[in-house]
Amino acid sequence: MEEEVLKKLRALVGWSSGDGVFCPGGSISNMYAVNLARYQRYPDCKQRGLRALPPLALFTSKECHYSIKKGAAFLGLGTDSVRVVKADERGKMIPEDLERQISLAKAEGAVPFLVSATSGTTVLGAFDPLEAIADVCQHHGLWLHVDAAWGGSVLLSQTHRHLLAGIQRADSVAWNPHKLLSTGLQCSALLLRDTSNLLKRCHGSQASYLFQQDKFYDVALDTGDKVVQCGRRVDCLKLWLMWKAQGEQGLQRRVDQAFALARYLVEELKKREGFELVMEPEFVNVCFWFVPPSLRGKKGSPDYSERLSKVAPILKERMVRKGSMMIGYQPHGTRSNFFRMVVANPALTRADMDFLLNELERLGQDL
């Protein structure tokens, strides 16, 4: 069952062969990718550890998920080995700065080995330019990992899959169906283009009391040695059942509906006084400020940004205490706190979007 689901996911990426495994969350998928890239370049490190390695460098954008740095720390590379590449105003990695950072790392005596691009950043929902990044990786001989934990499910949509153009050139892809597809937690796949059994060579320990090679059935079914865990949940079943129930067209409709609903919210938001978009979204992350009556028309005042930053936390507390909504907020670079409405739940309707705007107006009318 796991093999069948992974095969379908790989086909959507654009691979006719490869490998993969379900992981306990996208953070672990990303960490596995870093470990595999390191092992492929320095297989001795499995036995000899860090003393078999020169100083290594991996590259990701400033908009990346925090798990990249966590993974580097956990694997003993250290967070200093993560070189942060600049992103443009929309949150996309700048390939020219990636090239610059690689040259800088080499000049400092480090060995570049991996680039982690992001398809669907956490806050802005940005998609890195994969074709241009793949060109850089190809030129320098680097492993290209795509963290598509959030945006991977867009591949199911014929209308929007262009956002991930070039993903077939990746060496590995992290994809969480439990995000945009709303598969039950947890359901997270790591997909590999590799056909050399790299997962098992990197992670396997050949425990004779578990993985006997003289069993009466095909021992390729024993995938447990591909992962660091021993016990594993049957995460593939959740997606297998959903796929059976919804069909490919049903899953595509789910993705397209989320995009359409996000667009509806954006257009409605523009019609109302007191709502300001952070930027036009290209995904289903709708980022906006609610500007309360006391701050309207005062953008030029010196304390405007400081006062605006206090609005979202107050409204968040009010909505949670009332029990009417739960919407995330955060600062971002120099931007003060803004709301991030992620339109992903397939049960949401236009009426829910209208309610969201009405409720924010009601909760903030006295501010």
Side-chain angles (χ1 to χ4, degrees):
M1 201 178 278
E2 184 168 22
E3 280 305 311
E4 284 301 312
V5 174
L6 289 169
K7 195 158 103 181
K8 290 283 281 184
L9 295 176
R10 284 196 301 266
L12 286 164
V13 169
W15 299 333
S16 57
S17 60
D19 203 354
V21 71
F22 278 87
C23 299
S27 293
I28 302 299
S29 298
N30 288 338
M31 188 173 76
Y32 275 11
V34 174
N35 199 40
L36 290 163
R38 179 174 69 174
Y39 174 81
Q40 187 195 50
R41 183 165 287 220
Y42 297 104
D44 278 3
C45 73
K46 182 176 178 180
Q47 183 176 345
R48 296 184 58 222
L50 297 179
R51 69 180 184 275
L53 300 171
L56 296 178
L58 61 132
F59 305 83
T60 191
S61 93
K62 73 182 188 69
E63 299 290 321
C64 76
H65 191 259
Y66 66 81
S67 59
I68 303 299
K69 281 196 171 182
K70 269 197 176 185
F74 194 83
L75 292 168
L77 295 167
T79 56
D80 284 352
S81 68
V82 180
R83 306 295 179 110
V84 179
V85 182
K86 289 177 184 173
D88 65 19
E89 71 283 350
R90 293 195 57 82
K92 298 169 182 286
M93 185 191 288
I94 300 172
E96 294 77 13
D97 194 58
L98 171 62
E99 186 74 61
R100 188 184 69 82
Q101 292 278 4
I102 291 168
S103 299
L104 188 62
K106 287 179 176 177
E108 291 173 0
V111 179
F113 76 105
L114 171 138
V115 174
S116 179
T118 311
S119 289
T121 59
T122 308
V123 178
L124 300 177
F127 288 78
D128 285 343
L130 300 181
E131 287 283 10
I133 292 168
D135 287 344
V136 175
C137 290
Q138 191 174 328
H139 176 69
H140 291 280
L142 308 182
W143 180 290
L144 173 56
H145 173 63
V146 177
D147 175 6
W150 177 211
S153 297
V154 177
L155 288 169
L156 284 153
S157 167
Q158 293 304 312
T159 309
H160 301 288
R161 61 174 291 131
H162 64 88
L163 291 168
L164 296 100
I167 195 169
Q168 75 282 356
R169 297 177 65 187
D171 296 287
S172 56
V173 173
W175 179 348
N176 287 10
H178 71 229
K179 293 189 187 295
L180 186 54
L181 291 184
S182 301
T183 313
L185 272 169
Q186 63 204 18
C187 188
S188 177
L190 173 67
L191 309 172
L192 297 176
R193 189 151 49 107
D194 172 79
T195 55
S196 70
N197 219 9
L198 183 68
L199 264 173
K200 193 170 275 191
R201 286 187 290 118
C202 179
H203 294 148
S205 62
Q206 296 88 44
S208 60
Y209 52 85
L210 276 180
F211 304 113
Q212 302 91 338
Q213 297 303 295
D214 53 0
K215 289 176 179 174
F216 67 91
Y217 57 80
D218 180 6
V219 294
L221 291 168
D222 290 340
T223 56
D225 230 11
K226 291 181 178 183
V227 294
V228 174
Q229 301 163 263
C230 184
R232 278 204 308 148
R233 300 178 76 90
V234 193
D235 291 330
C236 67
L237 178 61
K238 302 156 192 173
L239 183 54
W240 189 90
L241 283 169
M242 177 185 274
W243 219 313
K244 284 287 188 187
Q246 300 281 334
E248 200 141 331
Q249 286 186 333
L251 295 182
Q252 177 173 326
R253 273 195 305 273
R254 189 169 278 205
V255 174
D256 288 342
Q257 180 188 332
F259 272 89
L261 211 51
R263 176 45 47 190
Y264 173 80
L265 175 60
V266 168
E267 295 308 321
E268 290 301 305
L269 191 146
K270 288 176 182 175
K271 296 174 187 174
R272 302 198 186 206
E273 189 184 8
F275 289 90
E276 186 185 335
L277 274 177
V278 173
M279 65 177 60
E280 281 284 342
E282 67 174 346
F283 195 17
V284 296
N285 302 36
V286 181
C287 298
F288 64 92
W289 288 282
F290 175 74
V291 183
S294 67
L295 285 178
R296 289 172 197 169
K298 297 185 178 172
K299 215 169 190 176
S301 63
D303 62 346
Y304 176 82
S305 184
E306 184 187 344
R307 288 171 65 192
L308 182 61
S309 204
K310 293 174 181 173
V311 173
I314 292 169
L315 292 181
K316 173 79 175 201
E317 181 181 355
R318 288 181 178 183
M319 69 175 75
V320 171
R321 288 190 182 280
K322 187 183 175 221
S324 60
M325 302 192 296
M326 288 186 77
I327 311 169
Y329 72 85
Q330 66 285 301
H332 184 266
T334 58
R335 298 180 178 110
S336 51
N337 281 324
F338 56 85
F339 285 111
R340 171 172 45 114
M341 174 59 190
V342 177
V343 185
N345 183 344
L348 290 173
T349 64
R350 287 186 169 196
D352 294 312
M353 301 300 100
D354 295 337
F355 173 82
L356 182 152
L357 298 176
N358 292 336
E359 182 70 353
L360 281 174
E361 285 178 337
R362 195 194 64 77
L363 292 170
Q365 64 190 352
D366 63 333
L367 294 180

